[in-house]
Amino acid sequence: MSEQDGVLRPQDLLGGWLELLPEKKRRAVLEVVEGYYRQRVGDPGEYPFTRGIYATMYRGRRPTIRQFAGHGLAPDTNQRFKTILRLGGTGLSTAFDLPTLMGRDSDDPLCEGHVGWDGVAVDTLADMEDLFSGIPLDQVTVSMTINAPAAAILAMYFAMAQKRGISLDQLGGTTQNDILKEYIAQKEWLFPVSKGGQLVVDTIEFCSRHAPRWHPVSISGYHIREAGATAVQELAYTVADGAWYVQKARERGLDVDEFAPRLSFFFDIHNDFLEEVAKLRAARRLWAATMRDRMGTTDPRSLWCRIHAQTAGCSLTRREPMSNIVRVAVQCLAAMLGGAQSIHTNSYDEVYSTPTEKALKVAVRTQQVLQEETEVTRWVDPLGGSWVIEHLTDKLEQEARQEMANIEGLGGMEAAIEAYYPQRAIHASALKDQRRVETGERKIVGVNAFQDAEEAEEDLQELLGELNARKGFEQRQLQRLRRVKEERSREDVRRALGELQRAAEVGENLMPSLMAAVSTYATVGEVSKALQQVWGEYKERDVISPTLSNQELEAITQGRRFSRPTRILMAKGGLDGHTRGIWILADVFRHMGAEVVYAGLHCSMKEVAKAAVEEDADVVGLSTHIGSPTVFFSRLKEELRHYGGDDIFITGGGILLPDDRRFIEERLGIGPLFPPDTPLQEIVQRVASEVDRREKVGLVHERDSRH
Amino acid sequence: MSAIPDTERQRLGRLITLLHDRPEQADDLLAREGLGAVQPTAHTVGISGAPGSGKSTLISRVIPLLRQEGLRVAVLAIDPTSERSGGALLGDRVRMRDSYLDPGVFIRSLATRGAPEALTRGLPAILRATGTYSDVVLVETAGAGQVDVGIHRLVDTFVVVLAPLGDVITLMKAGQTEHAHVIAINVRKGLPESDRFAQEARLLLGRDSAQPGWDRKVFPVDAKANEGVEAFVREGLLAHRDFLRRRPA
């Protein structure tokens, strides 16, 4: 029976064992086993949903193949969407460029080098119209990865659909719209925490009344994990974030069952195969318990933890990128065995930029091979009952509960974020993991194990061609934006933004006035600024204090010291929020006797240069993971010259294509530069040697050495 | 609004390093820069308080208000040097983000380099140099303990920032507030303790005469929410500056 419906239970396997027992004991044993199973595991589709939210799982519905795509201008991404649908993708997922994610316009000075780079640039409704032109919005579900300005972007999507005559209740899709994890991990924020949260609740409320098929929030552990969190932290913070939104929506007077069935989750699938399978099982159990016990609902649709899974971007390597195909396939299998409802498989070249067409095809094929050829979809929770899996599921659940209790102890998630608790905890985990990789305790094939000295760059040729073609996006988008601004009615925009501010001041649900504002072709940046004028903006308030031990610092620096208090300014390029690397280096350089100044996130190169001169920096270290490194480094050099800091030693690192690196090192005379896999020891030695060399040849500022 | 020219900005940046590295040669170094005989006219303000009391955040709110008055503002933000390595992580600047590009603002982070009282080596000369290129110099001490009051001897106006914790009487005994011309109580909204503390501080600390003719002033501020800062600046900092200028030499 159970083999036919794809579900096996412990009772099904007990037959042989029970025969070893005397007749009268069999019944008792069976009762214990069944009781435990019902209570802790449960059948698929039954509380606590450990084995899946549906009774039939993939036998009833295959996971949606939802590939994330976006680059350049709206018409470019529109073409890519159509390719995905042609290949058999069953949903769309939109990647916006960093300026859009930050709620800024393409012509904002801080956005230079970012426009259309790692996602599609959307400034106004005109871009949204082109993005989905010719795509049947009432048939395809659309997911949008957007957070701080999510309400404005969703308003644009709704306004665009209405213009095409499609009513909101026909629209199916998801906005990520999980602002808490931005403060916790990804750092793409606009407003103070409470106001950011209020906007999320506005979308929940609006959708539950007007767009019932829309999933307003996708509560995301993905970015938390990518920032270096452990599986336990990912689980705990994600479920705690979800509980916070539910609580806030209830305080708004919404009935839980009115909106909770539209909440979904987004998890990262990393390399620890069995742990990741167990993690998704534990997530379902935790969410169901949270909703039942804390929020008091028993409606199964409110208890379900619907999961979108994406393979782990941070597990991919720049070296030998073709090996990433294997990593992705294995992670995807874990997502399927864990019972995810939809899956994005990363493309093997995703470490460099959003995927090229060829890599995208391999990614889609990976899911299709697993779904169609491996037969794993015949079974429901096929690893359930494995001693390892059940043990890991229990363990992750228990540890996540403990961490959730810690958050509650601090006064809940909002208070914990204000206290920087989850941020620090993730940073500490990230450091620990980085050390494990550096010491070889955690192996990465082709990087710290089995390195191939002859590995050439030719793997990248195709990628380079496509990426170079992207360099013209910025100018084209600026022209588009200029044209839209000329053609719209300035008076309408002004009035609509004024109305938006009024609504924000009195605390109304902002969705209607956002839809009205974007319909006048007000830009994303104008909307963000209007709201910031009323609410203020979220500011980075703290430098994460170092957590490397003295012993570890010694292992990295190997006794190397600066000969005097060298002044080092650490900065990030443009809008990029990846700070782990520079914080670790700040700690390392301090240990070597440097005075390290941190410039803060989201600085223009002009701000960095002015700070460098005021701080009389000997060294400026610039880290860039997203956007165009050539733009950042050449602008930095130019601005330093302007402020009279031409003799400052510029170094840096991040994601650098070989061509860009050559250009920066050879043509701009900047460097050495360090790609992300560079061991800290090497950075230490090379930076210290360059500082020493400059001192010897008198390139450094006049110092003690002169006297 | 007034600005610090880029050439002066660069010169000052470099000069501070020299004075910091070699305080014993301060007179020579200043003379060489043509500053030997120059008497700086800038109003100098020392801002002290325990770690986490909100000094940097308060300063970030004060800068724009001083700029509105057309004053060029220099900030010297002191953070501790690690005893073990001799290095330092200087993180105060981040909180002053809003003023990074203002041409009339100069922000410099300094490490204590073993100096006592949450100050740094060469500070008197650094203050002189900085005061030559600006109208107001705000010195933020490293997180200070109760006995770290040395800054008050180096500046015109001495400000103590207090977090509303504990009780005021104990604070009075401790000595740090004794020299303060202006006290900012950095309250936190929603903390009932906070308001009581501010009230007590106003009553108990605000009556004393800090120097002949100037009664110490106490302001509740909420630096994070940017509330009460305007009164602190106008009735506190600027009023004390005017008092000093009116006072017969």
Side-chain angles (χ1 to χ4, degrees), chain A residues 110 418 537 539-546 548-550 553 561 564-565 567 569 586-587 589-604 606-608 610-617 642-645 647-648 700-704 706-707, chain B residues 4 6-7 9-18 20-22 24-25 29 32-33 56-57 60-61 80-82 84-113 121 188 223-224:
Chain A
L110 209 50
E418 298 278 7
E537 50 187 305
K539 297 237 181 64
E540 192 186 8
R541 274 285 175 251
D542 223 342
V543 181
I544 300 276
S545 54
L548 282 177
S549 71
N550 204 41
L553 287 166
R561 295 286 179 275
R564 54 189 176 73
R567 294 185 61 89
L569 180 74
D587 206 7
F589 290 144
R590 179 178 74 151
H591 186 77
M592 295 163 69
E595 291 177 353
V596 183
V597 182
Y598 173 51
L601 283 178
H602 313 150
C603 283
S604 68
K606 196 176 179 60
E607 289 175 309
V608 174
K610 181 171 176 276
V613 168
E614 290 172 358
E615 299 291 354
D616 194 27
H642 168 84
Y643 281 105
D647 56 348
I648 296 173
V700 283
H701 313 153
E702 174 198 27
R703 286 286 195 144
D704 290 317
R706 196 162 139 177
H707 286 256
Chain B
I4 300 167
D6 292 335
T7 46
R9 175 184 313 285
Q10 194 265 345
R11 271 175 71 184
L12 177 58
R14 188 79 27 113
L15 180 57
I16 292 175
T17 307
L18 294 173
H20 200 203
D21 286 354
R22 289 179 255 149
E24 65 287 354
Q25 295 165 28
L29 290 164
R32 232 174 56 191
E33 283 290 316
S56 308
T57 308
S60 76
R61 303 301 193 181
T81 294
S82 149
R84 201 161 52 194
S85 66
L89 209 50
L90 308 172
D92 291 334
R93 166 179 270 281
V94 184
R95 298 193 177 80
M96 302 164 200
R97 281 279 340 237
D98 288 349
S99 303
Y100 273 14
L101 269 193
D102 187 334
V105 174
F106 179 100
I107 303 168
R108 176 61 178 256
S109 318
L110 295 166
T112 50
R113 294 194 183 170
R121 296 193 334 152
R188 277 299 285 277
K224 205 172 168 212

Side-chain angles (χ1 to χ4, degrees), chain B:
Chain B
M1 282 205 293
S2 49
I4 300 167
D6 292 335
T7 46
E8 288 185 13
R9 175 184 313 285
Q10 194 265 345
R11 271 175 71 184
L12 177 58
R14 188 79 27 113
L15 180 57
I16 292 175
T17 307
L18 294 173
L19 295 168
H20 200 203
D21 286 354
R22 289 179 255 149
E24 65 287 354
Q25 295 165 28
D27 290 343
D28 289 352
L29 290 164
L30 288 170
R32 232 174 56 191
E33 283 290 316
L35 302 179
V38 180
Q39 209 44 51
T41 53
H43 173 218
T44 54
V45 180
I47 299 171
S48 188
S53 55
K55 300 182 290 294
S56 308
T57 308
L58 179 61
I59 290 175
S60 76
R61 303 301 193 181
V62 166
I63 297 171
L65 295 175
L66 294 174
R67 293 291 296 139
Q68 277 171 23
E69 299 290 310
L71 300 168
R72 295 167 300 166
V73 182
V75 180
L76 302 172
I78 305 172
D79 262 335
T81 294
S82 149
E83 243 175 84
R84 201 161 52 194
S85 66
L89 209 50
L90 308 172
D92 291 334
R93 166 179 270 281
V94 184
R95 298 193 177 80
M96 302 164 200
R97 281 279 340 237
D98 288 349
S99 303
Y100 273 14
L101 269 193
D102 187 334
V105 174
F106 179 100
I107 303 168
R108 176 61 178 256
S109 318
L110 295 166
T112 50
R113 294 194 183 170
E117 297 194 296
L119 301 178
T120 187
R121 296 193 334 152
L123 190 55
I126 292 173
L127 262 171
R128 244 183 98 182
T130 311
T132 314
Y133 294 101
S134 59
D135 303 310
V136 184
V137 184
L138 306 173
V139 184
E140 177 186 344
T141 70
Q146 288 168 346
V147 291
D148 299 330
V149 294
I151 183 69
H152 90 273
R153 286 186 290 271
L154 303 178
V155 294
D156 302 321
T157 303
F158 178 41
V159 177
V160 171
V161 183
L162 295 177
L165 297 170
D167 78 274
V168 181
I169 306 215
T170 320
L171 270 175
M172 286 173 76
K173 289 186 198 147
Q176 195 186 24
T177 53
E178 179 185 328
H179 300 282
H181 301 111
V182 180
I183 292 176
I185 315 286
N186 197 7
V187 298
R188 277 299 285 277
K189 244 187 263 165
L191 278 184
E193 278 290 279
S194 190
D195 294 336
R196 184 194 52 78
F197 185 95
Q199 189 67 15
E200 268 182 43
R202 210 196 269 274
L203 291 173
L204 295 170
L205 299 173
R207 300 249 164 117
D208 301 356
S209 153
Q211 69 198 109
W214 176 263
D215 286 352
R216 180 178 308 126
K217 295 195 178 177
V218 180
F219 298 92
V221 299
D222 184 338
K224 205 172 168 212
N226 202 7
E227 282 166 19
V229 183
E230 189 144 354
F232 165 74
V233 169
R234 294 193 200 294
E235 295 158 37
L237 298 190
L238 295 178
H240 188 247
R241 178 196 63 176
D242 295 343
F243 159 76
L244 293 176
R245 292 198 174 154
R246 274 196 314 271
R247 193 176 58 161

Side-chain angles (χ1 to χ4, degrees), chain A residues 298-558:
Chain A
T298 50
D299 180 345
R301 297 171 316 133
S302 298
L303 302 176
W304 287 346
C305 177
R306 297 166 191 77
I307 295 174
H308 172 67
Q310 180 172 337
T311 58
C314 63
S315 73
L316 303 183
T317 61
R318 282 150 204 94
R319 276 168 188 251
E320 305 182 15
M322 301 310 276
S323 304
N324 290 332
I325 297 172
V326 182
R327 296 186 177 97
V328 169
V330 171
Q331 293 164 1
C332 179
L333 183 60
M336 290 173 69
L337 298 181
Q341 273 59 56
S342 74
I343 300 174
H344 165 108
T345 31
N346 283 335
S347 299
Y348 60 82
D349 57 5
E350 219 156 289
V351 272
Y352 288 103
S353 182
T354 43
T356 57
E357 189 120 2
K358 183 177 169 188
L360 170 70
K361 185 167 178 176
V362 176
V364 172
R365 293 297 185 234
T366 303
Q367 292 206 49
Q368 288 166 336
V369 168
L370 288 171
Q371 285 194 19
E372 305 300 328
E373 300 182 14
T374 66
E375 301 288 342
V376 292
T377 54
R378 277 179 50 200
W379 299 94
V380 177
D381 187 32
L383 296 189
S386 144
W387 289 304
V388 175
I389 286 290
E390 296 298 347
H391 162 76
L392 286 175
T393 306
D394 289 349
K395 182 167 170 242
L396 288 171
E397 183 204 353
Q398 287 315 315
E399 290 177 7
R401 273 182 193 277
Q402 180 55 54
E403 185 64 359
M404 286 168 69
N406 292 341
I407 299 277
E408 282 307 308
L410 289 168
M413 198 36 127
E414 189 181 335
I417 289 171
E418 298 278 7
Y420 258 66
Y421 172 74
Q423 296 95 314
R424 281 178 206 277
I426 293 169
H427 184 63
S429 303
L431 267 186
K432 214 176 276 172
D433 185 58
Q434 174 158 342
R435 290 301 297 154
R436 285 180 62 220
V437 172
E438 284 183 5
T439 55
E441 192 190 327
R442 181 159 82 79
K443 295 220 169 6
I444 304 176
V445 174
V447 176
N448 70 356
F450 313 109
Q451 281 157 296
D452 181 357
E454 287 174 24
E455 163 74 5
E457 282 171 15
E458 60 210 84
D459 262 5
L460 292 172
Q461 280 320 308
E462 198 157 340
L463 173 71
L464 289 178
E466 194 165 330
L467 286 180
N468 277 325
R470 295 183 184 185
K471 288 186 176 164
F473 287 148
E474 191 147 335
Q475 284 316 310
R476 278 167 56 214
Q477 181 65 15
L478 290 177
Q479 279 167 16
R480 268 173 77 88
L481 178 56
R482 216 173 297 132
R483 209 171 49 238
V484 173
K485 280 187 176 172
E486 278 162 14
E487 284 168 8
R488 65 186 188 174
S489 153
R490 211 178 290 177
E491 180 49 31
D492 287 354
V493 173
R494 198 190 56 76
R495 205 173 317 119
L497 291 175
E499 167 56 23
L500 175 66
Q501 291 186 316
R502 185 205 59 78
E505 266 158 24
V506 299
E508 280 173 19
N509 187 313
L510 292 187
M511 282 306 287
S513 40
L514 280 170
M515 283 174 68
V518 297
S519 296
T520 66
Y521 293 85
T523 65
V524 172
E526 288 164 342
V527 167
S528 311
K529 287 217 177 82
L531 289 176
Q532 281 180 329
Q533 279 167 12
V534 180
W535 286 343
E537 50 187 305
Y538 181 79
K539 297 237 181 64
E540 192 186 8
R541 274 285 175 251
D542 223 342
V543 181
I544 300 276
S545 54
T547 45
L548 282 177
S549 71
N550 204 41
Q551 233 172 350
E552 285 170 314
L553 287 166
E554 263 317 298
I556 294 164
T557 54
Q558 296 170 339

